[in-house]
Amino acid sequence: MKLDRFIRIAIAVAVALVFVIAIGALLFISESALNVWDRLKAGPPALLYAYMAIMLLLAVTALWLIWRLVVRRKITPARSATPALLSKKDIEGRIREAEAAGVNVVEAQAELKELATRQADRTINLCFFGEISTGKSSLIKALVPEADVLIDVVGGSTDDVRHYRWRNESGSEILLTDVPGIGGIDGKLSTIATDEARRAHVVLFVCDGDLTRAEVESIEALLVFDKPLVLVLNKADRFTSEEQATLMQKLLERVDEVGGVLQRDHVVAVTAGGESDVVEQQADGREQTVRRSRPADIGVLVVAINRLLASNGEPLDQRRERAVFQLAAARLAQAEAEYRLQRSEQIIRSATRKAVVGAMAAISPGTDILIQGYIGTTMTQALCKLYGAAPRDLDIEEFLAMSQSRVGRALPLSLAVAGNGLKAFPGLGTVAGGAVHAVAYGLIFDALGRSLVLSLSRHGELVPQAASKEFEEGISEHLEAGVRRIAKMALDEKSD
Ligand SMILES: Nc1nc2c(ncn2[C@@H]2O[C@H](COP(=O)(O)OP(=O)(O)O)[C@@H](O)[C@H]2O)c(=O)[nH]1
Ligand SMILES: [Mg+2]
């Protein structure tokens, strides 16, 4: 860039001037500083120390203020819902805290209560888990023949959780749990099964061939909870011994792929037996279908279970306890999320109502400082607090300013949507004029609140840029979704 000669001279003069002023200031400051220093040295030492202390305090305060204003806090990820190591004290403390805040903690508490009941029972809990029709119920029947276990040829007969008692050779009291098969159409049953598996000491994962994708995913989920697993390949009667060996090798590899460590003797091939319908020739030549039990062969499973119970690794009780604490923490996190959603709904509704009322009362509502005002600030603060975010005032201002600059483009759209929405209420007549504006403002607040909630639940912290972007991207969708609700709000206000 070529500068005009005059401008260059002017800049040179300005630089020279600044230089002179700086030198002057430096001389002045050093003179008075030295002066003060000499006098302080001559005076009592207490005065010197007090003076230094005040200077230091001023410097620290200034630095702190600058830091608060300028330096952006690092965003810490939201507290993980299922930290690996939770003690009893941790989880109980968390439940108490949440309860005090108004969260429904019944389910989390129920998990701890169930654990206490099972611990008092002093049995080892084995859960038979796996896809529908792999033979879980048949295995239990083979282990405890006197138990009345329902076995269905069609599959999927266990639609509830059932417990059976079994005393093994060494006299251990064992509780066998039969759960619904996973992978059915009803996802709820899979959840029931998975939760029950987490409450057990050991999971006997029953399959009848190579693992499906859903089975591998279930194993992965159980590994997160540090569940001891025994992989049971059932219906071995359908395979030759070579096929069995290949399959078992494959099963080991599959578990290995998802980061699990299974000892070789924790993968067993058995025949639970089960029942089948066979067509038999009667003496008189007629054919008849009869139900026959297949012979069972589950010796290796019994050995594996006994070995597992006798092994002196980390006590099973301790591992189970930790898994249930995790389960309770997950329940709590879910209840907290629900509570937040509910509360945020109230906060947004109240802010929206205020915006609508304010706009109705104003003679000519101002569009320019729409959301940067009091209502926007209090709503943002309340929602941040609800999500455990502690933003600086500057972040809130930045978020509102950024969102405000995005409102300009959305305003015509929200007016149009508001006008349309009000048409849905017949007999409105001339009321509509002011109401359209009021509804449009209400819609914008509603959209602002909802996008903020989305952003907060994603980041666990107010990130002005991300939150205002969310607002811009979601606004048209939110406008459409909220229009009837907010139009009604405005009309109720009008008729009051
Ligand atoms: N061939 C064979 N079929 C079995 C075996 N165990 C169970 N079955 C059959 O598999 C089907 C499902 O058994 P069931 O125990 O109800 O499975 P669940 O849904 O896992 O409880 C039934 O038809 C059983 O007869 C086995 O070891 N070999
Ligand atoms: Mg069953």
Side-chain angles (χ1 to χ4, degrees):
M1 185 170 53
K2 213 173 151 213
L3 283 178
D4 189 76
R5 189 179 153 76
F6 175 73
I7 293 178
R8 267 193 285 169
I9 291 174
I11 291 175
V13 170
V15 168
L17 216 64
V18 168
F19 181 72
V20 169
I21 291 171
I23 292 274
L26 184 67
L27 284 173
F28 180 75
I29 291 170
S30 9
E31 208 219 334
S32 39
L34 285 171
N35 226 333
V36 171
W37 180 245
D38 283 342
R39 283 195 212 171
L40 280 174
K41 268 208 308 199
L47 188 67
L48 175 70
Y49 293 136
Y51 194 87
M52 300 253 282
I54 290 172
M55 291 288 264
L56 199 71
L57 196 73
L58 281 176
V60 169
T61 313
L63 279 174
W64 179 75
L65 273 176
I66 291 170
W67 181 80
R68 279 217 52 171
L69 279 169
V70 181
V71 181
R72 183 174 292 284
R73 256 175 316 168
K74 225 174 85 191
I75 310 280
T76 44
R79 195 167 62 177
S80 149
T82 53
L85 290 172
L86 267 176
S87 73
K88 189 172 176 135
K89 232 172 85 196
D90 291 339
I91 183 67
E92 282 177 346
R94 272 206 210 172
I95 290 178
R96 235 177 293 122
E97 241 173 67
E99 191 175 22
V103 177
N104 178 1
V105 296
V106 171
E107 285 198 22
Q109 270 170 339
E111 280 309 332
L112 297 187
K113 224 169 128 193
E114 176 65 26
L115 174 69
T117 311
R118 290 192 191 195
Q119 283 174 333
D121 193 37
R122 298 188 160 278
T123 48
I124 292 290
N125 191 183
L126 308 182
C127 179
F128 287 81
F129 184 90
E131 285 201 342
I132 296 168
S133 265
T134 46
K136 299 176 292 296
S137 300
S138 304
L139 272 170
I140 292 183
K141 178 104 186 141
L143 278 167
V144 195
E146 65 276 17
D148 183 18
V149 187
L150 201 62
I151 294 164
D152 198 331
V153 187
V154 185
S157 58
T158 316
D159 56 3
D160 217 339
V161 175
R162 273 168 227 182
H163 299 291
Y164 305 92
R165 285 188 182 276
W166 173 48
R167 186 190 285 270
N168 74 352
E169 287 158 26
S170 52
S172 301
E173 278 291 339
I174 296 172
L175 194 69
L176 305 176
T177 309
D178 197 5
V179 301
I182 55 162
I185 348 161
D186 191 352
K188 232 187 184 157
L189 289 180
S190 298
T191 313
I192 292 177
T194 312
D195 287 346
E196 192 52 38
R198 287 167 180 174
R199 296 182 192 115
H201 284 106
V202 177
V203 170
L204 304 175
F205 197 102
V206 186
C207 59
D208 58 2
D210 193 10
L211 295 180
T212 64
R213 206 188 162 81
E215 285 175 318
V216 174
E217 276 167 14
S218 301
I219 290 184
E220 229 177 334
L222 290 168
L223 287 173
V224 171
F225 279 73
D226 186 32
K227 264 304 135 198
L229 287 179
V230 176
L231 208 48
V232 185
L233 173 64
N234 188 28
K235 308 189 186 176
D237 55 306
R238 299 187 310 173
F239 306 111
T240 65
S241 44
E242 287 93 72
E243 281 170 340
Q244 266 181 46
T246 322
L247 256 175
M248 282 166 74
Q249 184 57 36
K250 224 177 204 166
L251 294 178
L252 272 170
E253 280 165 17
R254 293 250 187 260
V255 176
D256 188 56
E257 274 163 26
V258 292
V261 231
L262 265 191
Q263 293 161 22
R264 204 156 253 287
D265 60 353
H266 284 179
V267 182
V268 293
V270 297
T271 300
E275 293 170 334
S276 61
D277 293 334
V278 282
V279 181
E280 282 184 353
Q281 200 107 51
Q282 300 292 98
D284 56 7
R286 278 187 303 131
E287 284 190 344
Q288 197 186 5
T289 315
V290 281
R291 185 159 281 201
R292 288 259 180 270
S293 296
R294 283 187 210 91
D297 177 8
I298 55 163
V300 273
L301 176 62
V302 175
V303 170
I305 292 173
N306 288 342
R307 235 187 251 159
L308 200 99
L309 300 191
S311 72
N312 42 9
E314 198 189 350
L316 288 175
D317 255 332
Q318 219 165 300
R319 273 174 91 174
R320 196 263 295 267
E321 193 177 72
R322 268 211 316 265
V324 175
F325 291 161
Q326 261 180 279
L327 186 57
R331 293 260 182 276
L332 191 62
Q334 202 179 349
E336 276 170 344
E338 268 161 34
Y339 168 78
R340 283 174 170 166
L341 217 58
Q342 234 173 14
R343 268 294 296 150
S344 68
E345 199 66 44
Q346 289 170 348
I347 292 170
I348 295 170
R349 201 178 314 134
S350 144
T352 304
R353 183 176 291 279
K354 281 185 195 138
V356 170
V357 172
M360 302 263 277
I363 303 158
S364 93
T367 58
D368 33 348
I369 50 153
L370 187 59
I371 61 182
Q372 273 169 293
Y374 178 73
I375 307 174
T377 309
T378 45
M379 180 176 77
T380 307
Q381 280 167 341
L383 289 176
C384 285
K385 191 165 166 239
L386 182 64
Y387 278 82
R392 302 167 307 163
D393 291 349
L394 262 187
D395 285 332
I396 293 181
E397 267 166 41
E398 197 180 345
F399 162 63
L400 291 175
M402 281 176 164
S403 304
Q404 177 72 57
S405 70
R406 288 167 170 165
V407 164
R409 270 164 280 166
L411 196 63
L413 176 65
S414 48
L415 280 168
V417 172
N420 244 339
L422 280 168
K423 271 191 214 145
F425 298 89
L428 202 59
T430 49
V431 201
V436 172
H437 268 93
V439 172
Y441 297 152
L443 281 172
I444 287 171
F445 267 91
D446 188 67
L448 185 75
R450 277 164 211 285
S451 44
L452 180 57
V453 164
L454 275 179
S455 178
L456 283 170
S457 52
R458 199 166 301 150
H459 300 281
E461 190 70 52
L462 176 63
V463 189
Q465 188 83 35
S468 55
K469 196 154 171 253
E470 183 80 59
F471 172 57
E472 184 173 37
E473 283 167 2
I475 193 158
S476 50
E477 193 185 315
H478 288 308
L479 291 179
E480 291 291 347
V483 67
R484 281 189 74 91
R485 193 164 22 92
I486 292 158
K488 200 164 171 311
M489 211 182 256
L491 292 175
D492 288 349
E493 200 54 47
K494 204 84 185 170
S495 58
D496 278 351

